[in-house]
């Protein structure tokens, strides 16, 4: 499945961002998880997008209590006129259940700028919720780096920490993200010819990155354009190993330790 020989998988990987509760996996969700586990993936971190997603997330965690970890949050593309009710739901969930992060949260100016002001308000509020509950955040940023960094500048401090999910910025933006106690979430984009992050990633300390898929989106080469799944995180690890001049086992060990440290799992 992953084009990597099985003997390499005397190691453990963590997919720090996968929407495995999505309808794209309704037909074969258990098989997807089984494939990933056979390829060395020991843990799956599920980001929330809105209240409607939570039942499926809880169901998956109940089925795989030792492997599946959940975030709570409102995704920026789901911010609309109902955002206050959605935020109240997030706040209630954080008081009732155990989560490893608040996410995915952030700003998205790619699809629609109608609710930009509300997106900023929601982003800041959820950062403050994360601080209140001593949790990291998982940031979604699409065509909004300046706006995201402006919010982080206002909220910076020791209690601010997390993952810059699906990082696709420049080397300068990567270093700025690290200055706000963020790790970089590296996924399939690192394998794309036009992804650009492969040109400088090795200049970023590997202790500051975690691996992810964003399944079902952004499948790495050679599956680009097809449904992504957690097993493919090993292909991300393989590419990262090439860039850093390290073995895939070393990359797996370091990035898994990084993920456990930032997410508390």
């Amino acid at each position: 499945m992953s084009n990597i020989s099985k003997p390499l998988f005397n190691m453990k990987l963590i997919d720090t961002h996968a929407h495995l509760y999505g309808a794209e996996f309704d037909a074969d969700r258990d098989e997807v998880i089984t494939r990933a586990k056979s390829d060395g993936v020991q843990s799956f971190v599920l980001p929330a997008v809105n209240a409607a997603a939570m039942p499926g997330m809880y169901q998956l965690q109940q089925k795989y209590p030792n492997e599946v970890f959940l975030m709570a949050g409102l995704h920026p593309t789901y911010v609309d006129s109902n955002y206050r009710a959605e935020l109240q739901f997030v706040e209630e969930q954080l008081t009732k259940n155990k989560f490893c992060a608040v996410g995915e949260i952030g700003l998205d100016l790619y699809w629609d700028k109608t609710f930009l002001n509300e997106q900023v308000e929601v982003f800041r509020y959820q950062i403050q919720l994360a601080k209140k509950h001593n949790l990291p955040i998982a940031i979604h940023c699409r065509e909004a780096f300046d706006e995201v960094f402006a919010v982080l500048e206002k909220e910076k401090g020791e209690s601010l920490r997390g993952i810059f999910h699906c990082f696709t910025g420049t080397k300068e933006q990567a270093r700025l993200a690290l200055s706000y106690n963020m790790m970089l979430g590296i996924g399939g984009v690192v394998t794309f010819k036009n992804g650009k992050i492969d040109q400088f990633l090795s200049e970023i300390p590997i202790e500051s990155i975690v691996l992810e898929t964003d399944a079902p989106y952004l499948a790495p080469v050679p599956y680009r354009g097809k449904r992504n799944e957690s097993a493919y995180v090993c292909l991300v690890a393989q590419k990262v190993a090439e860039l850093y001049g390290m073995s895939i086992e070393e990359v797996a060990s370091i990035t898994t330790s990084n993920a456990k440290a930032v997410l508390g799992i």
Side-chain angles (χ1 to χ4, degrees):
M1 173 61 68
S2 61
N3 293 344
I4 297 178
S5 59
K6 294 299 179 184
L8 286 173
F9 282 97
N10 298 317
M11 60 180 184
K12 303 296 183 182
L13 291 159
I14 295 178
D15 186 353
T16 61
H17 201 106
H19 300 266
L20 299 179
Y21 52 86
E24 296 88 349
F25 298 104
D26 284 353
D28 62 346
R29 188 170 286 107
D30 291 328
E31 290 88 341
V32 165
I33 290 175
T34 297
R35 276 196 295 272
K37 290 171 70 174
S38 71
D39 271 3
V41 184
Q42 66 172 4
S43 301
F44 309 82
V45 183
L46 277 51
V49 291
N50 63 359
M54 291 305 301
M57 294 172 65
Y58 284 133
Q59 186 176 14
L60 199 53
Q61 186 187 48
Q62 288 168 4
K63 192 165 189 178
Y64 298 96
N66 298 318
E67 293 96 353
V68 170
F69 300 86
L70 306 183
M71 302 186 199
L74 177 60
H75 189 290
T77 61
Y78 288 87
V79 173
D80 56 24
S81 59
N82 192 46
Y83 76 94
R84 287 190 175 87
E86 286 279 355
L87 283 180
Q88 184 178 356
F89 178 83
V90 172
E91 197 159 6
E92 290 172 352
Q93 296 305 299
L94 289 170
T95 61
K96 293 178 180 178
N97 300 291
K98 181 176 174 59
F99 294 92
C100 65
V102 175
E104 65 186 282
I105 64 175
L107 301 174
D108 191 310
L109 304 186
Y110 177 78
W111 294 109
D112 188 357
K113 299 179 183 178
T114 304
F115 292 95
L116 172 58
N117 291 335
E118 289 84 356
Q119 281 193 39
V120 172
E121 179 185 344
V122 167
F123 185 27
R124 287 198 69 185
Y125 189 80
Q126 291 186 104
I127 290 175
Q128 291 162 9
L129 280 179
K131 292 177 178 179
K132 177 181 177 181
H133 292 275
N134 192 28
L135 290 172
I137 60 174
I139 298 175
H140 171 104
C141 174
R142 192 164 186 189
E143 296 192 2
F145 278 102
D146 290 345
E147 293 82 357
V148 164
F149 285 132
V151 173
L152 295 181
E153 178 64 24
K154 291 178 180 177
E155 296 293 335
K156 66 182 179 182
E158 290 185 8
S159 59
L160 177 67
R161 67 192 193 280
I163 298 170
F164 214 111
H165 152 62
C166 191
F167 185 81
T168 56
T170 65
K171 178 169 63 176
E172 292 72 23
Q173 289 167 333
R175 288 175 171 162
L176 186 54
L178 266 54
S179 75
Y180 291 113
N181 296 330
M182 297 295 131
M183 290 192 177
L184 305 184
I186 304 301
V189 173
V190 76
T191 70
F192 297 174
K193 286 184 178 179
N194 61 348
K196 297 183 180 179
I197 59 172
D198 61 316
Q199 298 173 15
F200 66 82
L201 187 62
S202 63
E203 299 178 48
I204 302 299
I206 194 169
E207 291 77 16
S208 297
I209 72 169
V210 295
L211 306 183
E212 62 171 60
T213 60
D214 201 19
Y217 315 109
L218 296 172
V221 174
Y223 302 105
R224 186 175 183 180
K226 300 180 180 179
R227 184 190 72 171
N228 201 1
E229 58 179 81
S230 288
Y232 299 164
V233 76
C234 59
L235 295 171
V236 177
Q238 184 178 47
K239 180 64 176 181
V240 169
E242 292 172 8
L243 294 175
Y244 281 90
M246 303 173 71
S247 71
I248 191 172
E249 291 91 347
E250 287 177 297
V251 168
S253 176
I254 294 168
T255 58
T256 294
S257 294
N258 297 344
K260 288 181 176 179
V262 67
L263 295 170
I265 61 174

